[in-house]
Amino acid sequence: MEATGYHVLIEQGEEGVFVAEVPALPGRASQGQTRAEAAKNVQDTIRADRESLEAHGEPVGHA
């Protein structure tokens, strides 16, 4: 999955929750009850991080 320009890994955890991680952005992860929900949540996380970096004049890495 690369809707945000980043490669996203989604795996189902032991408790049945899906976990989405972004290898290029250490610490960027989210989860959801479904694969689609986890994907949407991690996309929202990436967008929020990028917006915060831009708002504070910090460099935004490339996907």
Side-chain angles (χ1 to χ4, degrees):
M1 171 184 179
E2 295 187 41
T4 59
Y6 292 95
H7 182 75
V8 176
L9 300 175
I10 301 177
E11 297 180 343
Q12 190 168 18
E14 292 180 19
E15 297 179 12
V17 175
F18 288 89
V19 179
E21 297 180 83
V22 185
L25 302 172
R28 300 308 185 273
S30 194
Q31 62 185 24
Q33 294 299 316
T34 65
R35 190 174 291 274
E37 183 180 27
K40 180 193 176 302
N41 290 344
V42 81
Q43 288 175 357
D44 291 346
T45 298
I46 292 168
R47 281 190 206 100
D49 286 348
R50 291 179 64 94
E51 289 172 6
S52 178
L53 289 170
E54 289 171 355
H56 291 95
E58 298 290 329
V60 177
H62 298 286

